[in-house]
Amino acid sequence: QLDSRADGRTIDADPENLWLTRHSRRRLDAESLRDSMLQVAGQLNPSAARGSLIRHRPILVNLGGNLHQPSNHRSVYLCYLRSSPPPELAAFDLPDFQKSMGRRESSVASGHALYLFNNPFVLKQAERFAASLFEECGSDESARASAAIRRAFHREPRTDEVARAVQLTKATEAEVGCEKKALASLCQALLAASEFR
């Protein structure tokens, strides 16, 4: 019942999962997604952040632009201002900071996929993820692909997945001419995968 996968007979008997025959899959919220990306890239700082990034700003209410500074601390330690949500989280159904909300909305929008493809934060974490794989596995392409899948999805990779990951990395390398960028592309694909989210 903790596994979201089920055989055909179980799904036919309980198609809407009313009897809780399997775990219902759910998408990570914005904070958990950001923290997971930092964790997989080896960049998450689990210690409490000290102070507030706005402590040296005399005027806040009408200050325009992005007030946030980069941080590798957990999302719970980010500065949440009513007029300026954290940019790493803004695309994923953040609550309205103007009023109390008992329950957060959950939507599926094209902006989510675009964020995972284009956002500088995601690109940087993919690059750091790839760099850590080079340190861990060296030049062994299969070992790097296996480690990437294992770290991103928290399970053992299937043989066909490893083969396709290596194939993707080789094709990307042939196109961009850089092994590190090719591996970063694979890492970004894993971070954008439904299974990761």
Side-chain angles (χ1 to χ4, degrees), residues 30-35 38 44 72-80 86 89:
E31 295 86 351
S32 299
L33 180 61
R34 178 188 173 275
D35 291 354
L38 286 167
L44 184 66
N72 287 350
H73 288 282
R74 290 179 49 225
S75 297
V76 71
Y77 297 116
L78 294 178
C79 183
Y80 291 82
L89 306 177

Side-chain angles (χ1 to χ4, degrees), residues 159-178:
T159 308
D160 64 314
E161 286 178 315
V162 174
R164 283 184 300 171
V166 169
Q167 183 181 6
L168 173 67
T169 307
K170 285 181 178 179
T172 307
E173 184 181 353
E175 192 173 310
V176 299
C178 178

Side-chain angles (χ1 to χ4, degrees), residues 8-184:
R9 200 178 74 183
T10 303
I11 292 173
D12 290 341
D14 186 14
E16 295 179 21
N17 202 23
L18 296 175
W19 296 100
L20 304 177
T21 54
R22 62 195 174 276
H23 177 72
S24 295
R25 293 180 70 181
R26 64 179 176 82
R27 191 184 72 206
L28 292 175
D29 59 28
E31 295 86 351
S32 299
L33 180 61
R34 178 188 173 275
D35 291 354
S36 296
M37 286 185 191
L38 286 167
Q39 178 68 36
V40 165
Q43 300 296 309
L44 184 66
N45 182 350
S47 65
R50 293 184 174 258
S52 171
L53 67 90
I54 59 170
R55 65 189 173 276
H56 301 300
R57 301 211 186 233
I59 302 169
L60 269 185
V61 178
N62 296 319
L63 193 62
N66 184 4
L67 300 170
H68 302 276
Q69 298 168 346
S71 171
N72 287 350
H73 288 282
R74 290 179 49 225
S75 297
V76 71
Y77 297 116
L78 294 178
C79 183
Y80 291 82
L81 299 170
R82 278 182 278 189
S83 60
S84 180
E88 297 99 345
L89 306 177
F92 288 95
D93 301 318
L94 280 181
D96 180 6
F97 296 147
Q98 305 291 330
K99 58 187 176 191
S100 296
M101 293 184 73
R103 188 165 140 181
R104 187 180 294 192
E105 297 295 323
S106 180
S107 66
V108 177
S110 58
H112 299 163
L114 291 172
Y115 172 89
L116 294 169
F117 285 120
N118 299 317
N119 190 277
F121 172 78
V122 178
L123 297 173
K124 187 191 305 184
Q125 298 318 311
E127 289 169 4
R128 290 178 173 169
F129 185 8
S132 68
L133 292 170
F134 269 106
E135 288 177 20
E136 181 183 330
C137 304
S139 61
D140 186 344
E141 292 174 336
S142 294
R144 286 192 309 237
S146 295
I149 294 168
R150 192 176 302 113
R151 200 185 305 175
F153 299 155
H154 297 283
R155 63 170 173 77
E156 287 301 314
R158 295 187 312 269
T159 308
D160 64 314
E161 286 178 315
V162 174
R164 283 184 300 171
V166 169
Q167 183 181 6
L168 173 67
T169 307
K170 285 181 178 179
T172 307
E173 184 181 353
E175 192 173 310
V176 299
C178 178
E179 190 177 18
K180 289 187 178 184
K181 285 184 180 179
L183 186 58

